[in-house]
Amino acid sequence: MAIMTPYEIDDERFEALTLLNVELEVLFEGCRWAEGPVWFADAGHLVWSDIPNNRMMRHIPDVGTSVFRQGSNFSNGNTRDREGRLLSCEHGARRVSRTETDGSITVIAESFEGKRLNSPNDLVVRSDGSIWFTDPTYGIMGDYEGNKAEPEQPVRGVYRVDGQSGAIRRVADDFLQPNGLAFSPDESLLYIADSGASHTHGAPTHIRRFRVEGEGLRDDGVHCVIDAGVPDGIRVDTAGNLWSSAADGVHCFAPDGTRLGKIRVPQVVANLCFGGPRRNRLFITATRSLYSIYVGARGC
């Protein structure tokens, strides 16, 4: 099943990032809120979260889709570490976990300064092995995507876990609801989305940019603004363009913050990732479905 994708071009630079002879493909339908896609290049498959159904799914191109893990602790964002192991943000257990090669689970972070985390949402790994994750309150706001509870942390923060010692530190504390995050190709910048407008009318719908300084961050201001819904999951391609989820599809921004264009998707997009043998296939998790489209860019 496939539908034609209407591109919305705002800047001629976007034309080189799109392919006019491709379609937006529907790969799977039947989720309640699809999130957290991660591509396994060595295994040739995609894993993503279906949060309310408390499961993770796996799609093998040209083969099909199956349940990867039933009982996922309402996992949200996923990525891989420098050794290829799966890292997940678990709403239900309010932690970041790692799936070892034998299938066992290791807890990476579940508390800070003696208090439980809110509900880790998304994460990314730097080349030094450090793990950076966001901790909004979505997973404890009700029982649909986690377990309702009162937050113990005084803020909705962004954290860094040292890849060697496992020490955790808060690197940002002034977000309404920090969400997706992604490094620039040279890892000198960290982009972080604020999706607080999902529950707070009039709140910003922007993605902020930070300079990475040692183990911390320096605020570099607002990078771009989403004009449809809120920014959730984000990814960066090898040229430094930022691709963001939005209510009407996927928005693409140049390194200078200029919006280049949109890929229209018929459902609200939660997250996305690059995959395929050449990293030029965009996998998109959008409400009930998993979509994909080939693009003229390669993911970092």
Side-chain angles (χ1 to χ4, degrees):
M1 178 180 179
I3 62 172
M4 292 300 295
T5 301
Y7 292 104
E8 183 175 307
I9 297 176
D10 299 309
D11 187 294
E12 62 181 10
R13 289 174 288 178
F14 193 51
E15 295 178 1
L17 301 176
T18 63
L19 301 172
L20 298 181
N21 60 340
V22 300
E23 297 180 326
L24 182 71
E25 302 173 67
V26 182
L27 302 179
F28 180 78
E29 296 177 295
C31 296
R32 283 201 167 94
W33 181 244
E35 255 281 12
V38 56
W39 175 254
F40 285 73
D42 47 355
H45 68 240
L46 182 88
V47 170
W48 81 95
S49 299
D50 181 6
I51 305 177
N53 280 323
N54 194 23
R55 64 181 181 176
M56 298 170 72
M57 305 297 292
R58 172 170 51 200
H59 178 79
I60 304 175
D62 302 319
V63 176
T65 301
S66 60
V67 175
F68 175 76
R69 177 180 296 166
Q70 185 67 55
S72 63
N73 283 325
F74 298 95
S75 66
N76 190 333
N78 300 285
T79 193
R80 300 180 77 187
D81 67 9
R82 305 305 293 186
E83 297 179 36
R85 296 169 296 189
L86 175 66
L87 298 174
S88 302
C89 289
E90 301 178 8
H91 279 184
R94 298 167 68 171
R95 69 185 186 183
V96 175
S97 68
R98 181 177 68 220
T99 301
E100 306 295 347
T101 55
D102 63 1
S104 61
I105 304 295
T106 297
V107 177
I108 300 298
E110 60 184 349
S111 64
F112 179 71
E113 295 184 343
K115 298 178 180 179
R116 297 187 70 185
L117 296 172
N118 296 319
S119 57
N121 185 284
D122 209 351
L123 72 173
V124 67
V125 177
R126 204 161 183 253
S127 59
D128 62 1
S130 58
I131 301 167
W132 305 64
F133 69 92
T134 54
D135 188 42
T137 56
Y138 292 121
I140 58 175
M141 294 175 71
D143 294 319
Y144 188 61
E145 295 187 16
N147 303 304
K148 187 174 183 178
E150 291 297 318
E152 296 181 21
Q153 295 295 330
V155 299
R156 294 142 189 195
V158 181
Y159 297 86
R160 177 190 185 274
V161 180
D162 188 89
Q164 300 300 317
S165 67
I168 179 173
R169 63 176 296 183
R170 186 185 289 143
V171 294
D173 61 6
D174 61 345
F175 281 82
L176 189 55
Q177 291 282 26
N179 206 308
L181 66 178
F183 283 109
S184 61
D186 64 1
E187 298 185 329
S188 66
L189 301 172
L190 179 64
Y191 301 100
I192 307 175
D194 194 330
S195 58
S198 62
H199 290 75
T200 302
H201 180 70
T205 58
H206 56 218
I207 298 170
R208 295 166 60 185
R209 183 179 61 235
F210 293 83
R211 298 282 173 179
V212 181
E213 297 185 341
E215 298 180 357
L217 299 174
R218 176 168 59 84
D219 193 351
D220 203 32
V222 172
H223 179 65
C224 58
V225 176
I226 298 296
D227 67 356
V230 299
D232 194 328
I234 56 178
R235 292 293 188 274
V236 172
D237 66 26
T238 55
N241 300 304
L242 179 69
W243 302 69
S244 175
S245 61
D248 59 352
V250 175
H251 296 192
C252 181
F253 298 89
D256 63 6
T258 301
R259 192 178 73 196
L260 303 179
K262 301 180 180 182
I263 300 175
R264 293 284 187 174
V265 178
Q267 298 182 58
V268 174
V269 174
N271 214 325
L272 62 148
C273 76
F274 290 92
R278 300 190 179 192
R279 302 194 312 278
N280 65 338
R281 190 176 188 181
L282 200 60
F283 291 94
I284 303 166
T285 50
T287 312
R288 299 180 301 277
S289 306
L290 173 69
Y291 296 88
S292 79
I293 187 169
Y294 284 93
V295 294
R298 288 189 177 187
C300 285

